[in-house]
Amino acid sequence: MTAVLDAVPDRAATVVVRNGFVVRADLDPAWEAKGLYVGPLVDGPDAEAALGAVAEHPIDVFAALNDACTAEPLLVSVPRGLTVDVPIVIADWVDQDGAAVFPRLVVRVGEDAEAKVVVWQGSEDVAAFVAPVVELDVARAARLSYGEVQDRTGRVWQITSQVGRADADATLTGSHAGLGGDYARVRTDCGLVGRGATGNLQAVYFGERSQTLDFRTFQDHVAPDTTSNLLFKGVVGDQSRSVYTGRIRVEKEARGTNAFQTNRNIKLSEDAWAESVPNLEIENNDVHCSHASTVGPIDEEQRFYLESRGVPTEIADRLIVAGFFDEVLEQFPVPGVRPLIEAAIEARLDRREQP
């Protein structure tokens, strides 16, 4: 867990959450003086209004469990007009064997404000169930970049709900790296509720052994002239499985929508399995929308090109996988975290080559 803190040495705030409880919350006094708040929700500004402002109703039974069982919700509140130009880092750690943990994070960015938040989710080698709920509330003309790295160990089940809302002319960017867990699911709801709002959703994931990585995305265009771009890229090896199900929904009033959805998958073994199901639901004719998905092995032409220049097959495959992920990783909101994600991917490729 300390690796992420070392990777991002310049931080506006640092929070450590252990088994659902906030055990450390350090906020730079200079940012605190400007009105930034990072800490337990109960002590934050407008605490009663913040919780559930975006996830007003639980989207499934796991979100309902979070509502009922969350121990100590965490609030990031950026006041109107403030640009926080260094990241806010949250380390979410689970080390209690047999635990059921329900972390809750609310990020609220005021009008014309800006912030970057990264959450690193790790664990000891314990058997646990984790059901986080994340609420991302982006006010008019505000910008929020939210990055999440899920690197739990192999006996953890995690089912995550991310619910975001972008008001007029706001931009919400959500990035996810799905690496760990036995079964790990992320449901992402991105609501573009104000005219001119933008939602950018991107993810990389790498399944190994018998992991199942499950992604469900909803790009909901409610207001006119809104834009959403989704790019999810995944690799599955060994006997692992991945599922992607995505939906673009354009409401009747959302004329001028631009919405794009792409999911691409590489299978590294015959026993691995990937499924991709993109969907469109459009109720207005004045839109530009597209979706695309692919599932297949490593491209033989790319491999042959590298082999023909003397690159051994194993190294060629590693280079192809690294290049495959690069398009998403270069957009990760906190660049300092990228080497950690790349190292985790390298470790998976190393294990694959071991006899």
Side-chain angles (χ1 to χ4, degrees):
M1 186 169 59
T2 57
V4 66
L5 304 183
D6 294 338
V8 190
D10 192 10
R11 306 181 290 270
T14 306
V15 181
V16 178
V17 180
R18 182 182 181 190
N19 299 320
F21 291 90
V22 178
V23 297
R24 171 186 168 190
D26 298 330
L27 175 58
D28 187 314
W31 289 109
E32 184 177 15
K34 295 178 181 178
L36 176 66
Y37 177 81
V38 181
L41 183 140
V42 68
D43 298 326
D46 301 323
E48 292 185 4
L51 188 63
V54 180
E56 185 177 1
H57 304 291
I59 55 176
D60 56 26
V61 65
F62 302 105
L65 279 171
N66 185 287
D67 271 357
C69 302
T70 185
E72 192 171 20
L74 178 65
L75 173 66
V76 174
S77 179
V78 185
R80 177 180 181 178
L82 179 65
T83 296
V84 185
D85 57 3
V86 288
I88 297 161
V89 178
I90 300 168
D92 180 356
W93 190 251
V94 174
D95 61 4
Q96 183 177 353
D97 198 35
V101 183
F102 302 92
R104 185 69 167 251
L105 170 63
V106 178
V107 181
R108 189 175 56 190
V109 184
E111 187 173 321
D112 197 28
E114 181 172 2
K116 295 181 179 179
V117 179
V118 61
V119 178
W120 187 279
Q121 300 170 336
S123 70
E124 297 283 354
D125 183 19
V126 296
F129 172 74
V130 189
V133 170
V134 180
E135 299 184 58
L136 307 174
D137 192 1
V138 190
R140 183 183 183 89
R143 289 83 60 199
L144 172 63
S145 296
Y146 175 80
E148 184 177 278
V149 181
Q150 189 275 110
D151 196 24
R152 309 284 195 198
T153 51
R155 293 192 295 148
V156 174
W157 275 47
Q158 175 156 313
I159 298 178
T160 302
S161 299
Q162 295 178 1
V163 186
R165 177 177 65 189
D167 210 330
D169 299 321
T171 299
L172 169 59
T173 299
S175 301
H176 180 83
L179 301 169
D182 179 13
Y183 173 78
R185 190 179 91 185
V186 182
R187 169 173 171 153
T188 303
D189 289 74
C190 180
L192 304 171
V193 301
R195 186 168 191 167
T198 299
N200 301 310
L201 305 175
Q202 51 222 12
V204 295
Y205 49 95
F206 195 133
E208 62 175 351
R209 302 190 178 107
S210 59
Q211 277 184 289
T212 297
L213 302 176
D214 186 345
F215 300 91
R216 306 174 186 192
T217 66
F218 297 85
Q219 299 159 254
D220 293 323
H221 292 257
V222 179
D225 304 319
T226 51
T227 300
S228 67
N229 292 284
L230 181 145
L231 177 61
F232 277 38
K233 286 191 165 186
V235 169
V236 285
D238 303 327
Q239 297 82 41
S240 65
R241 305 162 68 89
S242 72
V243 180
Y244 171 79
T245 306
R247 187 195 71 181
I248 294 173
R249 167 80 178 172
V250 180
E251 302 288 349
K252 290 181 181 178
E253 296 77 13
R255 59 178 171 74
T257 287
N258 292 283
F260 310 101
Q261 181 185 75
T262 303
N263 174 232
R264 303 202 184 283
N265 300 273
I266 292 178
K267 287 177 55 178
L268 295 181
S269 74
E270 288 294 326
D271 295 328
W273 182 79
E275 179 177 335
S276 181
V277 185
N279 296 281
L280 296 174
E281 293 182 11
I282 301 173
E283 298 199 13
N284 190 300
N285 292 327
D286 182 16
V287 301
H288 292 89
C289 297
S290 69
H291 61 183
S293 69
T294 58
V295 178
I298 283 181
D299 187 278
E300 287 294 340
E301 290 189 6
Q302 292 183 15
R303 179 186 282 160
F304 176 76
Y305 175 84
L306 293 169
E307 289 175 332
S308 66
R309 281 151 178 78
V311 179
T313 302
E314 294 78 11
I315 296 177
D317 287 356
R318 296 173 75 103
L319 291 172
I320 292 169
V321 169
F324 178 70
F325 283 142
D326 191 65
E327 184 180 5
V328 175
L329 290 179
E330 68 180 7
Q331 301 178 56
F332 204 82
V334 180
V337 175
R338 176 176 174 172
L340 302 181
I341 301 172
E342 291 174 330
I345 292 170
E346 287 286 323
R348 280 157 176 75
L349 292 168
D350 290 342
R351 287 194 286 270
R352 180 172 174 265
E353 293 172 3
Q354 293 173 358

